[in-house]
Amino acid sequence: MKKLQMVDLRSQYLNIKTEIDHGIQEVIDSCAFINGPAVQAFQKSLELYLGAKHVIPCANGTDALQVAMMALNLKPGDEVITTSFTFIATAEVIALLQLRPVLVDVDPGTFNIDLKAIERAITPKTKAIVPVHLFGQTAPMEEIMEMAKKHNLFVIEDNCQAIGSDYIFTDGTKKKAGTIGHIGCTSFFPSKNLGCYGDGGAIFTNDDDLAKQMRVVVNHGMTVRYYHDYVGVNSRLDSIQAAILNVKLARLDAYAAKRRTAADFYDKAFANHPRLKTPVRYAKSTHVFHQYTLITENVDRKALIDYLASKEIPAMIYYPVPLHMQKAYLDPRYKPGDFPVTEHLCETVFSLPMHTELDHDQLTYITSHVLEFLNR
Ligand SMILES: *Cc1c(COP(=O)(O)O)cnc(C)c1O
């Protein structure tokens, strides 16, 4: 059996090696390292894939979120609502821009932002909502957009974990995750569902004015060459990464299908187990399984993870600490107990290997050892 990893990038590479190597070599031969044809091609292909009017490539997912927020012209102290159960980058850029991260709890089933909690957190200072499509499912965007419209708020989707996921509206229409709010952000970090071989990211929008402004922001706030009308940043996707992404974007839906097959296997093996709760599938979103995350009940989670490690099965905790209990984000407004769902999840969840190359033998090996630990 092949060695188990949370994400097996090497086996995936070996299956697409010819095309990847050719793409990289082409960039080196052309020496168009910055903003070369591979970047233009990727931008167009991603716009087409997503059905988004504008894709703006940038250096990573954190930059994508920062640039999105810089384009909204917010003032220090303006409030931005986001979830307490996410990767730190979401709140980090809010804090960096001297805006106020206002955290809210999540839904215990989908792990995504709790609609009622958003409504309660809105104040006259609220300017934006940043839903995170956690672990591969889209947050309840239809309701979030209605709420945003009512209160005149921007919506920036943190789509770093759900690229390719479809959101299904009440009337049956579908949109890709990241294209429903005013702006969507994604990351091409190697382990993401659409990952490159280094750092990369992109911003999506259907709004011409926001697109224009964000293109200026990612390029040093430059409107005309060497004329800088805004304080911007330097955030680019390099051509070699774009060449890799061109190969992988063509396979994104096939990759999502492989992840779903692995998730179905896990679901079936753990179905109705009294001490494990398999991931809830939200009816209004397809799931692209960035992570396969289980909730344990009355399980010594550390002992379970140690046992799996002794069998060479990696398992991870996404995320062990709620945002409001992170040292850098301690805030007198928040105390332990404020976000009970997030806090419970941080104490009880664990994630199993999830990637495009998991085979039947590996899945059997993983599930049988998890069950063996629980049933002994
Ligand atoms: C990965 C990730 C980011 C940051 O992306 P980078 O490319 O690593 O900067 C932001 N938000 C979420 C939810 C992520 O998973």
Side-chain angles (χ1 to χ4, degrees), residues 60-62 65 86-87 89-90 132 158 160-161 187-189 192 199-200 319:
N60 57 65
T62 309
L65 289 162
T86 177
F87 179 58
T90 322
V132 180
D158 182 339
C160 291
Q161 300 190 2
S187 163
F188 305 126
F189 185 79
K192 302 283 159 129
D199 275 308
Y319 295 93

Side-chain angles (χ1 to χ4, degrees), residues 50-64:
L50 293 170
K53 201 162 171 200
H54 306 279
V55 164
I56 300 152
C58 65
N60 57 65
T62 309
D63 273 10

Side-chain angles (χ1 to χ4, degrees), residues 30-57:
S30 72
C31 287
F33 295 116
I34 301 294
N35 211 16
V39 179
Q40 318 280 328
F42 175 63
Q43 182 189 316
K44 286 276 159 314
S45 307
L46 190 55
E47 284 167 356
L48 226 81
Y49 175 83
L50 293 170
K53 201 162 171 200
H54 306 279
V55 164
I56 300 152

